[in-house]
Protein backbone atom coordinates (compact mmCIF):
# COMPACT_ATOMS: atom_id res chain seq x y z
CA UNK A 1 0.00 0.00 0.00
CA UNK A 2 1.44 3.37 -0.94
CA UNK A 3 1.88 6.30 1.44
CA UNK A 4 -0.89 8.35 -0.15
CA UNK A 5 -3.43 5.55 0.33
CA UNK A 6 -2.36 5.07 3.96
CA UNK A 7 -2.84 8.79 4.64
CA UNK A 8 -6.31 8.69 3.07
CA UNK A 9 -7.33 5.71 5.19
CA UNK A 10 -5.96 7.34 8.36
CA UNK A 11 -7.78 10.61 7.60
CA UNK A 12 -11.05 8.77 6.95
CA UNK A 13 -10.67 6.92 10.26
CA UNK A 14 -10.01 10.14 12.19
CA UNK A 15 -13.02 11.82 10.61
CA UNK A 16 -15.47 8.95 11.12
CA UNK A 17 -18.46 9.80 13.24
CA UNK A 18 -19.16 6.76 15.46
CA UNK A 19 -22.51 6.49 17.22
CA UNK A 20 -22.13 7.37 20.91
CA UNK A 21 -24.52 7.05 23.80
CA UNK A 22 -25.87 4.92 26.63
CA UNK A 23 -26.48 1.25 25.90
CA UNK A 24 -28.58 -1.32 27.72
CA UNK A 25 -28.51 -5.07 28.22
CA UNK A 26 -31.99 -6.08 29.48
CA UNK A 27 -32.74 -9.60 30.70
CA UNK A 28 -36.29 -10.54 29.69
CA UNK A 29 -36.43 -13.34 32.27
CA UNK A 30 -35.87 -11.02 35.24
CA UNK A 31 -36.51 -7.58 33.69
CA UNK A 32 -33.14 -6.39 35.01
CA UNK A 33 -31.38 -3.70 32.99
CA UNK A 34 -27.63 -3.13 32.86
CA UNK A 35 -26.18 0.09 31.43
CA UNK A 36 -22.93 1.59 30.26
CA UNK A 37 -21.71 4.40 28.02
CA UNK A 38 -20.17 3.84 24.60
CA UNK A 39 -18.02 6.03 22.38
CA UNK A 40 -18.52 3.50 19.59
CA UNK A 41 -21.80 1.69 20.18
CA UNK A 42 -21.41 -1.31 17.84
CA UNK A 43 -17.88 -1.97 19.12
CA UNK A 44 -19.00 -1.74 22.77
CA UNK A 45 -21.87 -4.18 22.19
CA UNK A 46 -19.48 -6.66 20.58
CA UNK A 47 -16.92 -6.26 23.37
CA UNK A 48 -19.41 -6.89 26.18
CA UNK A 49 -21.04 -9.79 24.33
CA UNK A 50 -17.60 -11.34 23.87
CA UNK A 51 -16.81 -10.91 27.57
CA UNK A 52 -20.14 -12.48 28.52
CA UNK A 53 -19.71 -15.39 26.11
CA UNK A 54 -16.22 -16.02 27.48
CA UNK A 55 -17.45 -15.81 31.09
CA UNK A 56 -15.27 -12.76 31.79
CA UNK A 57 -17.74 -9.93 32.38
CA UNK A 58 -16.73 -7.84 35.42
CA UNK A 59 -20.40 -7.50 36.45
CA UNK A 60 -21.05 -10.78 38.23
CA UNK A 61 -24.85 -10.43 38.26
CA UNK A 62 -24.99 -9.76 34.52
CA UNK A 63 -22.62 -12.67 33.90
CA UNK A 64 -24.75 -14.99 36.05
CA UNK A 65 -27.95 -14.07 34.19
CA UNK A 66 -26.21 -14.45 30.81
CA UNK A 67 -24.89 -17.87 31.78
CA UNK A 68 -28.24 -18.98 33.22
CA UNK A 69 -30.65 -17.68 30.54
CA UNK A 70 -28.40 -17.30 27.51
CA UNK A 71 -27.92 -14.57 24.94
CA UNK A 72 -31.45 -14.94 23.56
CA UNK A 73 -32.92 -13.78 26.88
CA UNK A 74 -31.30 -10.36 26.44
CA UNK A 75 -32.37 -7.30 24.54
CA UNK A 76 -29.52 -5.01 23.56
CA UNK A 77 -30.47 -1.44 22.77
CA UNK A 78 -29.33 2.15 22.61
CA UNK A 79 -31.33 4.03 25.25
CA UNK A 80 -29.79 7.48 24.77
CA UNK A 81 -27.82 8.76 21.78
CA UNK A 82 -25.33 11.58 21.95
CA UNK A 83 -25.55 14.15 19.18
CA UNK A 84 -22.17 15.73 18.46
CA UNK A 85 -20.31 17.54 15.69
CA UNK A 86 -16.58 17.09 16.24
CA UNK A 87 -15.41 13.45 16.34
CA UNK A 88 -11.97 14.58 17.59
CA UNK A 89 -13.42 16.23 20.69
CA UNK A 90 -13.59 14.40 24.05
CA UNK A 91 -17.26 13.62 24.78
CA UNK A 92 -16.74 11.80 28.08
CA UNK A 93 -18.48 14.45 30.18
CA UNK A 94 -21.50 14.62 27.88
CA UNK A 95 -21.82 10.82 27.88
CA UNK A 96 -21.66 10.74 31.68
CA UNK A 97 -24.41 13.37 31.87
CA UNK A 98 -26.64 11.28 29.56
CA UNK A 99 -25.85 8.23 31.67
CA UNK A 100 -26.76 9.94 34.95
CA UNK A 101 -29.98 11.35 33.47
CA UNK A 102 -31.06 7.90 32.30
CA UNK A 103 -30.27 6.43 35.72
CA UNK A 104 -32.39 9.13 37.39
CA UNK A 105 -35.30 8.35 35.05
CA UNK A 106 -34.85 4.58 35.54
CA UNK A 107 -33.69 3.94 39.12
CA UNK A 108 -34.11 0.16 38.73
CA UNK A 109 -31.32 0.10 36.12
CA UNK A 110 -27.84 -1.04 37.17
CA UNK A 111 -24.43 0.07 35.95
CA UNK A 112 -22.46 -2.64 34.18
CA UNK A 113 -19.27 -1.10 35.57
CA UNK A 114 -19.38 0.29 39.09
Amino acid sequence: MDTKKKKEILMAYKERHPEMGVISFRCSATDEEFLTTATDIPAKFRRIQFQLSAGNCPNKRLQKLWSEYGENAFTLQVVKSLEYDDPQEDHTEELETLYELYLLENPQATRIWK
Side-chain angles (χ1 to χ4, degrees):
M1 187 181 303
D2 66 12
T3 306
K4 183 179 177 185
K5 185 67 174 171
K6 285 181 184 177
K7 285 183 181 181
E8 288 173 4
I9 292 171
L10 181 60
M11 183 62 78
Y13 176 78
K14 285 183 177 181
E15 292 180 2
R16 72 186 184 96
H17 211 90
E19 185 181 6
M20 294 185 193
V22 179
I23 61 174
S24 164
F25 282 70
R26 181 181 292 276
C27 179
S28 60
T30 63
D31 203 35
E32 291 176 73
E33 182 177 28
F34 299 87
L35 305 170
T36 191
T37 59
T39 55
D40 184 339
I41 288 174
K44 189 71 162 243
F45 274 133
R46 286 190 303 271
R47 176 180 163 212
I48 295 171
Q49 284 177 291
F50 178 78
Q51 287 178 323
L52 288 163
S53 296
N56 292 332
C57 183
N59 186 302
K60 299 303 178 203
R61 177 67 182 160
L62 176 56
Q63 182 65 63
K64 181 178 187 237
L65 293 172
W66 187 274
S67 298
E68 185 174 338
Y69 297 108
E71 182 175 356
N72 292 334
F74 283 84
T75 303
L76 285 55
Q77 66 182 28
V78 178
V79 293
K80 294 275 187 183
S81 290
L82 178 67
E83 301 296 326
Y84 66 98
D85 293 321
D86 184 2
Q88 299 299 316
E89 190 177 316
D90 181 11
H91 299 286
T92 305
E93 192 172 307
E94 296 155 285
L95 284 170
E96 284 301 316
T97 300
L98 274 180
Y99 194 34
E100 294 302 325
L101 288 172
Y102 188 81
L103 284 167
L104 287 173
E105 296 167 5
N106 301 278
Q108 77 287 356
T110 303
R111 298 170 187 265
I112 290 179
W113 285 228
K114 302 289 179 194

